[in-house]
Amino acid sequence: MRKILIVNSSTRIHASQSRAMTGFFQEIWKMNNPNDEFIFRDVGLQPIPHIDDNWIKAAFIKPEDRTIDNQKPLELSNLLVDEIKSADIYVIGVPMYNWSIPSSLKAYIDQIMRINETWKFRSGEPDGDYVGLLEDKKLFVLSARGDNGYASNEHNAHMNFQTTYLQTVFKIMGVADIKIFSIDNEEYGGEKLENSRKEIFAKIADIKY
């Protein structure tokens, strides 16, 4: 039995393309894998607090020096880190807001991107040589975007701080198996959007489960 963590980050509900994708993903996955377990985290409708000075001080205390008192600012973060460690597969539904990710998803990532918990420095000293601690995980990024051409070498690739950012931070945390499915052309609507939806939903349905 595998555990799938689904994270939704859209502030919209019924009109959200990314929520439609995560819902479809869950439906198809459950049909093919009835014994797998789902965990849900909705940072779009139930925002995660931003980190603060007390959080940062607590996070950089070495594991051997941690006490109950100096770790109190990390209580929610610890819960989120345990949650992501326990899951085998991550599914993130993410709209593109101003060419990047929603601030609520950034707040969530700041809470889980923890030194000596989800990543570390190989030498133990700050040297830019990162080692990810989330091993043998898979990530599916289900993104929605108003325009098109955001993939590598396409005309809007230089403005894509959405999926490129997610790939970067999750790779630093050790997740090497990352698949991206993007519904484009939302701002155009009509046939352009519908064609993009059909293409991506067909690709999701064709995932090897």
Side-chain angles (χ1 to χ4, degrees), residues 12 25 40 42 72 90 95 113 118 135 140 160 205 207:
R12 296 194 296 178
F25 182 102
F40 300 95
D42 197 322
K72 281 183 179 178
Y90 313 136
M113 198 158 185
T118 55
E135 299 178 346
F140 294 94
N160 180 6
I207 291 173

Side-chain angles (χ1 to χ4, degrees), residues 135-179:
E135 299 178 346
D136 302 319
K137 312 291 189 181
K138 292 184 179 182
L139 168 63
F140 294 94
V141 177
L142 308 183
S143 76
R145 307 188 282 220
D147 203 350
N148 58 68
Y150 291 105
S152 179
N153 297 319
E154 293 187 344
H155 64 281
N156 276 327
H158 65 291
M159 299 178 72
N160 180 6
F161 305 104
Q162 179 205 38
T163 55
T164 52
Y165 170 73
L166 293 174
Q167 284 178 295
T168 299
V169 295
F170 275 90
K171 282 181 179 178
I172 288 174
M173 290 189 285
V175 184
D177 190 348
I178 301 175
K179 301 289 190 301

Side-chain angles (χ1 to χ4, degrees), residues 184-198:
D184 291 333
N185 299 315
E186 187 172 5
E187 67 186 46
Y188 300 107
E191 187 176 354
K192 280 189 174 182
L193 173 59
E194 190 56 32
N195 287 341
S196 182
R197 280 176 55 90
K198 287 179 180 177

Side-chain angles (χ1 to χ4, degrees), residues 73-90:
L74 299 176
E75 287 179 351
L76 173 60
S77 178
N78 288 336
L79 185 153
L80 297 174
V81 167
D82 288 344
E83 184 176 79
I84 202 164
K85 284 181 177 179
S86 72
D88 304 292
I89 296 165
Y90 313 136

